[in-house]
Amino acid sequence: MGDTPRVTLRLPNGETLELDVETARLGQDVIAIAPLLQHDVFAYDPGFLATASCQSAITYIDGEAGVLLHRGYPIEELAEHCSYLSVSYLLMHGELPDQARLDTYVDDILQRTPVRDNLKRIVQSFPQDAHPMSILGAALYGMAGLYHSEIDIQDETTRYHIACQMIAKMPTLVALCHRHNLGQELIEPQPEFGYVENFLYMLSGERPDPKLAEAVDKLLILHADHEQNASTATVRVCASSDTNPFAALASGIGSLWGPAHGGANEAVLNMLEEIGSVDSIEEYIERAADSSDPFRLMGFGHRVYKNFDPRALIIRGRCEEMLAMTGQADNGLFQLALRLAEIARQNDYFIERNLYPNVDFYSGIIMSALNLPKTMFPLIFALGRCAGWLSHWNEMIVQGYRISRPRQLYVGQERRSVPAQVGQPKRI
């Protein structure tokens, strides 16, 4: 191997500093800027648009080409040939499992799907109209309380059992949140059902169509991981303090809840309902292109993808299949979404900016086909993304890490003295 490539940087004081360039196997190389600290200089990158915060071997995205790889496997092939649990194993362990390993892994998960009464009481303690993401986050903190003293995150076997525990209980907790919001009796998981079948059964109390379960399984695969997105980065930052892993995942729930992240599919559905009909599409597209109009077309474009989102192409087909099998082939919102995407892609504003529909554009329609309220959409996202969060947490522990501590560009007041006369509270 040759010498490590380097770049020369001129510092504000006029000195020069040579920085190593770390070479990526795929994608962008990075400049190792840690030596800046020795010269009392920080890098400034609001939103972390050009900052690599870690090394990872889990997921690779080429936003220009519309490529998404998990451990080297294209998302299209994983969605076609694998189950969600086999993909979660891949993310965590680096290789797809053979049949024996998969059978053991599935058994380890399915036997852990029931939750303790303590967690049920946490769910039931919330008002019936509470947002289910707040309930789910509290339930994960409840798990941190139940599974705390016995956790040794440096032990590989313990981390495996933590991952199985979380992946197993997430569908049960999501279903508990849903049933509680409806004011209905909580439904226990059934040992004879598979992972997704059990989830759908706990939502409705009815044995699901296997084809419907397969479609939801693919939806979870498409949400399983997406590199250093906001919620995954949040989990990593939180876990870097050596916190309880269930608490770290709860922090991911908080980040995912936002409408710019896990709540985006709900925003898409609201947008489609506002547009209302195909006849109004042109008007709303003109509004979206008008910078003075606050209206925006939700579900178009992506921070990373500057071309099409490969997950959107897959989920569009799955959406058609699910609507057909649930007797909703003529679903008005889906037909409106298809026509909106077609017309938008012929508009100069969207063509010039390479704005394509992303995964959120169609996922909300799939979830509404399951008769789920919009508030439940980010919980389904969290159910799928749980595998990615756990994989990044595990990778961080294996690699070794330091507590995350971003720095800042301070723009406030210079040092000053407290005035002699300052108001005092009447009571202390």
Side-chain angles (χ1 to χ4, degrees):
M1 296 182 64
D3 295 335
T4 301
R6 313 190 89 186
V7 297
T8 301
L9 176 69
R10 184 175 296 279
L11 300 174
N13 62 7
E15 297 179 359
T16 58
L17 174 66
E18 288 196 338
L19 300 173
D20 289 343
V21 177
E22 302 287 347
T23 304
R25 178 165 292 178
L26 293 173
Q28 295 85 356
D29 295 339
V30 301
I31 301 172
I33 62 172
L36 290 175
L37 186 60
Q38 302 169 13
H39 296 265
D40 202 26
V41 177
F42 301 144
Y44 181 54
D45 183 21
F48 306 110
L49 300 183
T51 298
S53 61
C54 64
Q55 291 186 13
S56 182
I58 297 173
T59 294
Y60 169 72
I61 299 171
D62 183 340
E64 297 294 335
V67 170
L68 172 60
L69 307 178
H70 292 324
R71 300 288 191 179
Y73 295 104
I75 187 62
E76 295 87 350
E77 295 183 18
L78 292 173
E80 179 69 24
H81 302 294
C82 299
S83 69
Y84 172 71
L85 288 186
S86 60
V87 171
S88 74
Y89 184 99
L90 167 70
L91 294 174
M92 189 80 174
H93 300 281
E95 297 293 342
L96 286 167
D98 58 24
Q99 192 61 54
R101 287 188 174 89
L102 181 60
D103 289 345
T104 299
Y105 179 61
V106 171
D107 287 343
D108 285 343
I109 288 173
L110 293 183
Q111 67 182 351
R112 290 176 165 90
T113 52
V115 299
R116 298 187 192 181
D117 289 341
N118 313 60
L119 294 179
K120 295 176 185 176
R121 286 194 290 271
I122 289 174
V123 171
Q124 293 166 331
S125 70
F126 277 77
Q128 188 176 317
D129 61 351
H131 196 291
M133 280 293 271
S134 65
I135 307 175
L136 182 62
L140 263 63
Y141 277 115
M143 287 187 68
L146 289 174
Y147 307 100
H148 183 71
S149 59
E150 69 231 47
I151 287 180
D152 176 8
I153 62 174
Q154 300 302 326
D155 179 69
E156 181 180 1
T157 300
T158 299
R159 292 198 304 275
Y160 172 78
H161 289 304
I162 289 169
C164 289
Q165 194 76 262
M166 192 67 256
I167 291 175
K169 286 183 168 47
M170 185 64 100
T172 309
L173 293 173
V174 170
L176 286 175
C177 294
H178 176 57
R179 301 290 293 184
H180 177 68
N181 280 155
L182 295 176
Q184 297 177 349
E185 183 180 347
L186 307 180
I187 299 174
E188 295 293 333
Q190 296 300 308
E192 68 268 24
F193 290 154
Y195 185 77
V196 177
E197 286 178 319
N198 228 332
F199 172 58
L200 295 176
Y201 169 74
M202 289 186 289
L203 287 177
S204 66
E206 300 177 0
R207 188 182 190 112
D209 185 321
K211 292 184 179 179
L212 182 63
E214 181 183 356
V216 174
D217 188 83
K218 303 309 178 188
L219 178 67
L220 297 183
I221 290 175
L222 297 180
H223 287 88
D225 189 57
H226 209 238
E227 201 226 58
Q228 302 305 313
N229 53 82
S231 58
T232 299
T234 300
V235 170
R236 277 185 174 261
V237 169
C238 187
S240 74
S241 70
D242 288 337
T243 192
N244 181 291
F246 300 110
L249 264 65
S251 74
I253 293 291
S255 179
L256 187 69
W257 190 351
H261 194 3
N265 45 26
E266 179 182 352
V268 169
L269 220 58
N270 289 334
M271 174 197 71
L272 292 174
E273 291 173 352
E274 179 181 347
I275 294 174
S277 73
V278 173
D279 295 338
S280 301
I281 289 177
E282 294 284 2
E283 172 195 344
Y284 278 91
I285 287 180
E286 290 178 8
R287 290 183 58 189
D290 183 356
S291 60
S292 65
D293 193 313
F295 176 79
R296 292 291 177 267
L297 282 185
M298 304 302 295
F300 282 82
H302 194 276
R303 169 70 70 84
V304 176
Y305 295 111
K306 304 309 176 189
N307 202 316
F308 64 89
D309 181 342
R311 301 168 301 168
L313 301 181
I314 300 169
I315 204 169
R316 171 178 166 170
R318 292 294 176 179
C319 192
E320 289 182 287
E321 294 173 9
M322 180 177 286
L323 291 173
M325 73 178 67
T326 56
Q328 304 176 59
D330 58 349
N331 183 285
L333 286 180
F334 182 55
Q335 299 305 320
L336 177 60
L338 292 177
R339 184 61 179 147
L340 174 61
E342 179 183 356
I343 294 176
R345 284 304 305 153
Q346 297 171 357
N347 184 278
D348 289 342
Y349 178 87
F350 290 84
I351 294 173
E352 292 168 3
R353 290 163 177 79
N354 278 334
L355 297 178
Y356 290 80
N358 58 39
V359 68
D360 299 311
F361 190 69
Y362 299 106
S363 62
I365 297 173
I366 285 186
M367 296 178 202
S368 64
L370 295 172
N371 295 318
L372 293 174
K374 297 172 192 172
T375 52
M376 281 295 296
F377 293 0
L379 281 81
I380 308 299
F381 196 146
L383 173 56
R385 186 55 54 85
C386 179
W389 290 340
L390 288 163
S391 300
H392 284 275
W393 164 75
N394 181 67
E395 180 181 64
M396 188 184 78
I397 303 298
V398 171
Q399 287 179 343
Y401 55 97
R402 301 176 67 180
I403 186 170
S404 295
R405 178 57 168 88
R407 306 307 293 262
Q408 66 177 15
L409 174 64
Y410 179 71
V411 295
Q413 292 282 354
E414 295 183 7
R415 183 187 178 101
R416 53 182 174 168
S417 297
V418 175
Q421 300 297 323
V422 64
Q424 296 291 337
K426 295 181 179 180
R427 294 181 182 177
I428 295 181

